[in-house]
Amino acid sequence: MYVVFDLETTGLDSNCCDIIEFSYIAFDEYTNQPVRAETLYYYYPNMRWSEEAYAIHQIPLEFLKTQADKFQENVIKMFAILNRGKVCGHNAAKFDCVFATNWLQRMGMPRLKYDRIEDTMTMFKSITKTSRISLAKLRTRLGI
């Protein structure tokens, strides 16, 4: 199985900011067919909140509060999906995987062990000639 995933966070510092959304699609690695997809939300009392991050992700705090009763269940699900998995994402190696690993440890989970990380930002570095490019700009650059 491999997993394509994305995070929404309350900021960029993986040592103190929080994950508020984890979306993923899990694929069968032999057939490349999707086998599961889900979006999980996270809220706990006194979590960090940033209006600057909200301006980007547009997920209201009031909505997240309605998800508080699923917090521990969703933390465990996220850990199970990512641990020892093959993962793929845009900027996954330098941001998403690092952030997920640090945050899950702060939430009491063991350290994640990824089997493999594929990073679309890194994959296309030779084409874009830059170390950072948004997925939207990459799509335009590739004419897709």
Side-chain angles (χ1 to χ4, degrees), residues 21 31 50 52-53 63 71 81 108 130 138:
E21 180 186 270
T31 66
S50 158
E52 293 85 7
F63 168 75
F71 181 80
I81 290 158
T130 180
L138 176 60

Side-chain angles (χ1 to χ4, degrees), residues 1-132:
M1 179 174 82
Y2 66 94
V3 176
V4 177
F5 79 101
D6 188 37
L7 302 176
E8 296 299 337
T9 66
T10 61
L12 299 176
D13 188 340
S14 67
N15 294 307
C16 62
C17 294
D18 288 297
I19 293 173
I20 59 169
E21 180 186 270
F22 170 65
S23 294
Y24 73 92
I25 304 171
F27 293 87
D28 179 283
E29 66 184 294
Y30 301 106
T31 66
N32 289 329
Q33 295 298 310
V35 294
R36 186 175 4 161
E38 195 171 15
T39 298
L40 306 173
Y41 295 97
Y42 302 91
Y43 174 82
Y44 64 91
N46 301 317
M47 71 184 288
R48 285 182 72 110
W49 186 253
S50 158
E51 289 300 319
E52 293 85 7
Y54 171 72
I56 295 167
H57 58 63
Q58 295 291 301
I59 301 171
L61 186 58
E62 296 74 29
F63 168 75
L64 292 173
K65 287 179 180 180
T66 68
Q67 305 297 304
D69 61 329
K70 298 176 189 166
F71 181 80
Q72 195 58 39
E73 173 187 342
N74 287 350
V75 166
I76 293 167
K77 274 187 186 181
M78 182 179 169
F79 178 82
I81 290 158
L82 294 177
N83 195 48
R84 299 209 180 274
K86 297 176 179 99
V87 299
C88 181
H90 195 66
N91 203 19
K94 292 185 179 176
F95 184 77
D96 294 270
C97 290
V98 172
F99 205 109
T101 299
N102 289 348
W103 186 78
L104 284 167
Q105 280 191 278
R106 286 190 291 129
M107 297 304 123
M109 301 303 291
R111 185 165 184 79
L112 282 171
K113 295 178 179 157
Y114 301 100
D115 279 345
R116 186 173 178 177
I117 300 171
E118 294 291 347
D119 189 327
T120 54
M121 190 178 291
T122 304
M123 284 179 192
F124 292 99
K125 196 174 185 178
S126 63
I127 294 170
T128 62
K129 307 290 189 235
T130 180
S131 60
R132 289 206 41 87

